[in-house]
Amino acid sequence: MEQALLIPTVAEKVFARDLVDGQQVETAFIVREVSRRSKRNGEAFLKLQLGDVTGRVEAVCWDDVDAVADAAAPGAVLIVRGAYSDDERYGATLTVRGARLAGDGEYDPQDLHECAPVPFAQMEADLRELIGTVQCPHLRELLDRLMAPDSTVWRRWSIWPAAKHYHHAYRHGLLEHSLSVAQGVSAMAATFPGLDRDVAVTGALLHDIGKIEAYEMEGDSIDLSGSGKLQGEIPLGYFAVRREIEAIAGFPADTAEALLHIILSHHGSLEHGSPVAPCTREATLVHAIDNLGGKLGSFDRLEKSLGDGERWSRFDRALDGSAYFARRDAA
Amino acid sequence: MEQALLIPTVAEKVFARDLVDGQQVETAFIVREVSRRSKRNGEAFLKLQLGDVTGRVEAVCWDDVDAVADAAAPGAVLIVRGAYSDDERYGATLTVRGARLAGDGEYDPQDLHECAPVPFAQMEADLRELIGTVQCPHLRELLDRLMAPDSTVWRRWSIWPAAKHYHHAYRHGLLEHSLSVAQGVSAMAATFPGLDRDVAVTGALLHDIGKIEAYEMEGDSIDLSGSGKLQGEIPLGYFAVRREIEAIAGFPADTAEALLHIILSHHGSLEHGSPVAPCTREATLVHAIDNLGGKLGSFDRLEKSLGDGERWSRFDRALDGSAYFARRDAA
Amino acid sequence: MEQALLIPTVAEKVFARDLVDGQQVETAFIVREVSRRSKRNGEAFLKLQLGDVTGRVEAVCWDDVDAVADAAAPGAVLIVRGAYSDDERYGATLTVRGARLAGDGEYDPQDLHECAPVPFAQMEADLRELIGTVQCPHLRELLDRLMAPDSTVWRRWSIWPAAKHYHHAYRHGLLEHSLSVAQGVSAMAATFPGLDRDVAVTGALLHDIGKIEAYEMEGDSIDLSGSGKLQGEIPLGYFAVRREIEAIAGFPADTAEALLHIILSHHGSLEHGSPVAPCTREATLVHAIDNLGGKLGSFDRLEKSLGDGERWSRFDRALDGSAYFARRDAA
Amino acid sequence: MEQALLIPTVAEKVFARDLVDGQQVETAFIVREVSRRSKRNGEAFLKLQLGDVTGRVEAVCWDDVDAVADAAAPGAVLIVRGAYSDDERYGATLTVRGARLAGDGEYDPQDLHECAPVPFAQMEADLRELIGTVQCPHLRELLDRLMAPDSTVWRRWSIWPAAKHYHHAYRHGLLEHSLSVAQGVSAMAATFPGLDRDVAVTGALLHDIGKIEAYEMEGDSIDLSGSGKLQGEIPLGYFAVRREIEAIAGFPADTAEALLHIILSHHGSLEHGSPVAPCTREATLVHAIDNLGGKLGSFDRLEKSLGDGERWSRFDRALDGSAYFARRDAA
Amino acid sequence: MEQALLIPTVAEKVFARDLVDGQQVETAFIVREVSRRSKRNGEAFLKLQLGDVTGRVEAVCWDDVDAVADAAAPGAVLIVRGAYSDDERYGATLTVRGARLAGDGEYDPQDLHECAPVPFAQMEADLRELIGTVQCPHLRELLDRLMAPDSTVWRRWSIWPAAKHYHHAYRHGLLEHSLSVAQGVSAMAATFPGLDRDVAVTGALLHDIGKIEAYEMEGDSIDLSGSGKLQGEIPLGYFAVRREIEAIAGFPADTAEALLHIILSHHGSLEHGSPVAPCTREATLVHAIDNLGGKLGSFDRLEKSLGDGERWSRFDRALDGSAYFARRDAA
Amino acid sequence: MEQALLIPTVAEKVFARDLVDGQQVETAFIVREVSRRSKRNGEAFLKLQLGDVTGRVEAVCWDDVDAVADAAAPGAVLIVRGAYSDDERYGATLTVRGARLAGDGEYDPQDLHECAPVPFAQMEADLRELIGTVQCPHLRELLDRLMAPDSTVWRRWSIWPAAKHYHHAYRHGLLEHSLSVAQGVSAMAATFPGLDRDVAVTGALLHDIGKIEAYEMEGDSIDLSGSGKLQGEIPLGYFAVRREIEAIAGFPADTAEALLHIILSHHGSLEHGSPVAPCTREATLVHAIDNLGGKLGSFDRLEKSLGDGERWSRFDRALDGSAYFARRDAA
């Protein structure tokens, strides 16, 4: 992290995961939650939740409350100065002595929030290159319409998260996930015989398109939308793609059905929310690589939460178990 | 069945279920399957499957083969003369000595195939009356459009079966089932508080609308269509209704979502093929009465298959058990 | 506890659900729990849990401890004066400054505990009217014996709750639930053919009769009894009804078995605690409407817990999901 | 098998399991089914199903039809003379040339039907000895009443089968099974601490008592009764024992509940038909040994069906797999 | 059996799947089963089951029985001449008029049995190339030992089938399956970050190694061995690899455990027979691609069974559904 | 608590389970956790978790911190003097006023930690006696090698716990559990016919041998090892026994397979982690008695946690329910 000369230099990021009782800190945190409260004597104080990519820490600020309150909007990045204690009675708290908005050069965004490990521009370029390999003109037109830089779909799809918790639950996560699944599908189509690569790759790119309606994103906050809960991400995506297909003259019915079947069946089974189970090679393939990509994404997320020397993650609901990282140096 | 004077009178219907070894029969059957075969000596004979509402019987015809073959098209109703034997080696067979097309007055259609117990005209009248009770103008318009006598939907929906096997698996079965579910839903809305009756009744009427694309019907033969298998009846119905809603100006988004949620969730849970589970009172109600109506329809079907004095049906997959008919006289 | 002079007027109910940090309150609450404790300096104080129909709030009382302790018996309704704080360290607490027993006119019971929305007298009248429609003399005699105003069964059944948590978990809840299920069953018997209405309605009224032994109720507190845990509500109800039937001369064996089968099978499947699954139309019907009535009861309960403008409930175990209330004005 | 001098001596039992194409046989079989049929030419013949402990064989009799028909009542033991063929077209058949009723000394009953390996008198003696070890006077009285040689219960219980198929599905099977479970329970009560042996042993003896109403036995034919299907064997047994307990003055409520809980919970879980799961040591024990005894009974049954040198049984539903018999000589 | 003089030319393969009533055939079949039987008049005849890659056909031979019997050993390839009839009474049968052993040039082996679509030499070359890319010297040594051309493991592993039914159930199927899974794993390791490619590829190659003890292969006949049933393919493979690892000096414990974990967990979950579930990225990957490869193998198998114009396979247990082949020309 | 003059005698144990608000205590506790902390004013204090066989209590020590800290190593037994309060705000805490290491005679170890109810020497003697009854020389040699007093296996196996939580989760628990299962198996082999007692008893003794690698024990702290999580206790035990068998010359393959099958299948089904399900009588028996022994062990554990007069335990995960202790005096 290159720093300007004079001014506020934060020697090094101190991570929430690594705080120990009694530690003095001056480091960057993102504000997750903030509320103004009153002590019994009537004086105001702030209760905050601060976070970085490794976790969260409860904080309280008794001093300079107004100034800190001005800076501490949810989502803002602060340089926080204070002391951490893991108190017998009150639990773990960071007592904030001062805080100010961080300048752009003062922190590395990847220290603060989970994000795609590849820059957006690179992902978009990889995506457009992959789309360029689709030979079927109708599938190509469908992708070109949905992924056109000025399309409504693209504007959401390209920045949306892929989930609320489990994997790729951050800005551009949907793009990152869809792209890697499609790349994996493309590679498998070269390994196993009998696959219609164009259908499979298009299905892989569009399989999660319903998430742009099923999720809402405000700042770093991701949640299911009302439509997501009442209609489900799969019907929403199915409707969007089928309506777009119907707007393309001459789109072959067979190809349409093959693609829609992938979107409808990509959760792999009824009990996971697909109204039909995969019954084509292409749908079987997209489901397998989507599932694999999601699990590997959970490994990525869990690895970041490990402390020094730890090899086992905590129990994780997405994996239904703990993850083990055998060779962390190599990871 | 009293017959006019001169012509072929069939004293009484002999049912497939009741045939006994050695019995001579002359009665009406519907032709289910027919194939022309050759004996080892090269002579032609016919192998048939004949049926009525109580079941099916394998048949063979060695005599008068050409004449019988002319009459015996699948779906045709024949007056069949022959002898039934439950042979040690060859199993149960009806040896057909003669057969001719039955005249309209010579049989009671309800003896031959399962059908709705209420005449179509009555069901349509009941349906239009029920639609007339829907107060919400947008839901009313939606129903009027879909159920208009000249609409594409109505032309299939009003004659379609509700299933391939389990219940209401016959002409007009979908109308019969949807109507009775909607009537039941309407009655429950008067018993339990807090329900939006218009949404619930409309949802009940339309819940299975996807079946008109998911099933194919040819004569008495019902089967899942390719679209039914690749897309599923629920997404097909959801798409059809949502597209129709979008064609109605000013249709409230809330009402649309409440209705679509019923269609999507009416199987009650993910493992039964609904991509979302019911989370409104109305969806909970429609699922419950649809499920109940289906099970009671299975009881109706099984009761017809019972022989004299039988009270227990065979094991039935739809009920996952046997059905017991305690008071058959009263049924 | 200083009181205003004249009359018991409580301006307006303040609900537990709506309390906000810093709010001063003077309103009615029911006492859920109370314990006398000592501060480190040896002074006594009270720790309470107060509640109303919308939820519960932890409370503490440092002042006037003896007087408040006298009034604050579990189950008592108090007019409580104090201040609510949602403290950084200590969580949400109502600090009670004064409290006295509330007079009858000072509060609306429906603000304080869940209860049947229809008065008991009305429910009893509806019940007796419904019993009057049962034609079968033996079933009628059975109901008359069990529901006689001076019978042991009636004295418990008419006031018992239907559950500990999920639905109708309040005084008269069992009557309310059984009555509405029986009314629904009666309505369905008019919609679907082939049902023995007398058996179905009697089964619906008696299906949960085992709960009067399986649950204990003390004040507002409901819990499973030892017998409930060791024998189960279904065997307890089965034994009670079968023994009563055996005391009625000439009770037909068929009718007895049809009724007992409903009681035994009304949970719908083995894994839900029925030792046999429903295999008659009537048992299928009672199970369906019982299940529906329970779910709609959960919607009623959850709707009361919603804050202003909320449409989604929290996750609920009874529904295995969240409930959505689309049109709260209409509810 | 010692035979009297002159008369029909059947050299050796030929087992159904071991018949080979072309074999001439003269051996004892039990008649399972018989029906008189007509050939196309009008002549009568008999179609039979013959059996022994190793299986069944289809048979046909063209000769001496009237005489054979007189002897061949279902359940009768015949000395059958004929030829076995495993025909290309007609499958495996024993063509009966002659048959007559077997005399008592002409066959070993254990060759013909499954039966308890220990004589009834021995089992009864063992049972009465075990009952004699029960110290608790109330449990002792209960057992003495139910097992009194002239009691209605004893008359059925002592000869009833324990199942239709899976294990101990033969005369006295219920006694054999209940006794061995109770003996096993008694032995375990000496191995593991904290068990109330009297309650456990009594529960083990009575756990399946409901089967005397839940099953019907006619000759060798065993089937579920109507009551068995509508009420279930567990509620039937629970009712019978609870009613008997209530007839014993001063029977302690605790002991009654401990015993009834064993009967109700002995299937081990709700999905196996117990309305409550075991929650006492004694109920846990009886369930475990009952389950073990049932499975070992299935091994006994399957071992009898093995041919020479076979070590693996066919797939068996009771075991949900095949059984392996490692040391058949030692078995 | 009269033969044409000169050369073995079989005009064209007639497939079992395509036989129609009355067809005369002269084509190659493989003998699946054969037995010599006697007619009632004592004359011998043969009952056979013949097969090719598309299915099986029952056959009977009345003529020239001794000569045909000499040729028709199970597994032998015959040129069969005869007539096919789908008889009313006797079902579908090929009546064999003559048969002789086929010469090597007279048939295409791929017409007769399922086999790997790639020649063995090519697969071995691909395998050795892939092994050559493994960098870790210990994993490399392990592979070199197990896969050495003269090793006991290689001699079985390289020719073994991968299953009895579901996929790759033919000679070299295990090699074909393991190789394609390992190639797929290798490709995915290039798409997704954080994977230890050497461990994953080695695990993919060895994951099914236990099958060489768990299956027996005799000719075309594949079955589970006793050890396969009593110990399971996973423990057998685990033992073999762990013992081999222990024979390699200096094999790192971490690497050993990472590899053994893949073998143990590759079925993905306990209920599928893995004693531990995957908890590393590499084990997650191998399970996913193994599962995918198995399913795609089932698609390959089912596609071969389709008749002309068919797009839907029959229900298949491996896929738990039917497979759809949208673009059969392209397959 | 009055003390005798001279020596350290602790009149009576005060149990964690029985502490009440305001109680003064001087009694023995074992130290579970300890950490040194700083107050806001910089002074040191200690936060401890103390425990005994009935549970745990949080404690804090403000006085004499250094002396207490010296004594309070995790696992040490202290005589603790202090006051217990169940504070409104801070929860339940024992404020320690003084503490010193307890002498051997000052406490009963069974008051402090769960342990086997039978002394180790007795269990070892019982074990060696049981081993002495094994007749098969190869099984006997196997047991003699593994259980030899100086063997690596014995040194761990004889002191290891059988679990982390559920049952026998204490020193020597594995020996206690294995011995009682083997004794139960031996008794059952005398009750049920057809069992190979030597194989069953040996399998019962060795079934959990993999736990000595799958668990780590440090002091009272028990946890799964890395190998336990990556390989599973069953494969670890299978490998150990199979390798030992292979070192015994002439060990019969049949006997080896019968024994290994018990170890592999003793969890009873795939979903419980056995890679094969039991398919022999002996494996079926060991699974049943192991399961029973585990459940009865959970009853033992739960009974110790009951307060005076309590008959129902809290919900327990091992039993998936609450345990009921009907006759605690008799237990």
Side-chain angles (χ1 to χ4, degrees), chain D residues 21 40 60 62 85-90 93 95 312 322 324, chain E residues 36-38 40 45 47 60 62 89-90 93 95 226 229-230:
Chain D
D21 187 42
R40 296 196 173 187
V60 62
W62 311 100
S85 62
D86 189 2
D87 190 89
E88 180 237 343
R89 296 252 151 112
Y90 312 123
T93 317
T95 304
W312 286 97
S322 297
Y324 179 71
Chain E
R36 195 180 183 101
R37 300 286 177 83
S38 305
R40 297 195 173 187
F45 69 94
K47 190 165 150 52
V60 62
W62 313 100
R89 297 253 149 110
Y90 312 124
T93 318
T95 303
K229 286 189 270 191
L230 289 171

Side-chain angles (χ1 to χ4, degrees), chain B residues 192-216:
Chain B
F192 290 98
L195 286 151
D196 184 326
R197 182 189 173 279
D198 281 357
V199 165
V201 167
T202 306
L205 286 172
L206 301 182
H207 76 283
D208 267 349
I209 197 172
K211 285 184 172 170
I212 64 179
E213 290 178 80
Y215 286 94
E216 283 160 351

Side-chain angles (χ1 to χ4, degrees), chain A residues 21 40 62 85-90 95 312 322 324, chain F residues 37-38 40 45 47 60 62 89-90 93 226 229-230:
Chain A
D21 187 43
R40 296 196 173 185
W62 312 100
S85 62
D86 190 1
D87 190 90
E88 180 237 344
R89 296 251 149 110
Y90 311 122
T95 303
W312 287 96
S322 296
Y324 180 70
Chain F
R37 299 287 178 83
S38 306
R40 295 196 174 186
F45 69 95
K47 193 166 150 50
V60 63
W62 312 101
R89 297 252 149 110
Y90 312 123
T93 319
K229 287 188 270 190
L230 290 170

Side-chain angles (χ1 to χ4, degrees), chain B residues 118-193:
Chain B
V118 179
F120 171 67
Q122 180 64 50
M123 291 196 288
E124 178 170 8
D126 291 349
L127 173 76
R128 305 240 172 255
E129 184 186 327
L130 186 64
I131 291 175
T133 67
V134 172
Q135 303 297 313
C136 164
H138 301 97
L139 292 170
R140 182 68 175 280
E141 182 176 352
L142 178 67
L143 289 169
D144 286 344
R145 292 168 74 122
L146 292 168
M147 300 296 168
D150 59 349
S151 80
T152 318
V153 165
W154 172 258
R155 276 198 292 260
R156 292 196 120 191
W157 190 84
S158 61
I159 62 169
W160 232 236
K164 180 169 159 63
H165 290 301
Y166 293 151
H167 63 91
H168 306 97
Y170 43 75
R171 185 169 286 255
H172 300 308
L174 182 56
L175 167 58
E176 182 196 353
H177 170 62
S178 302
L179 177 59
S180 64
V181 170
Q183 288 169 329
V185 159
S186 175
M188 286 298 102
T191 305
F192 290 98

Side-chain angles (χ1 to χ4, degrees), chain E residues 153-167:
Chain E
V153 165
W154 171 260
R155 275 197 293 260
R156 291 196 119 192
W157 189 84
S158 61
I159 63 169
W160 232 237
K164 179 170 160 64
H165 290 303
Y166 293 151
H167 63 91

Side-chain angles (χ1 to χ4, degrees), chain E residues 227 231 238 243 246 257, chain F residues 227 231 238 243 246 257 261:
Chain E
S227 296
Q231 300 186 57
Y238 163 75
R243 197 167 40 182
E246 296 192 351
E257 202 142 61
Chain F
S227 296
Q231 300 186 57
Y238 162 75
R243 197 168 40 182
E246 298 193 350
E257 203 143 59
H261 177 65

Side-chain angles (χ1 to χ4, degrees), chain A residues 120-130:
Chain A
F120 170 67
Q122 178 64 50
M123 292 196 289
E124 180 170 6
D126 291 350
L127 173 76
R128 305 241 171 254
E129 183 186 327
L130 186 63

Side-chain angles (χ1 to χ4, degrees), chain A residues 37 45 62 89-90 229, chain C residues 21 40 86 88-89 312:
Chain A
R37 300 286 178 84
F45 69 94
W62 312 100
R89 296 251 149 110
Y90 311 122
K229 286 188 271 191
Chain C
D21 186 41
R40 295 197 172 184
D86 190 2
E88 181 236 345
R89 296 253 150 109
W312 287 96

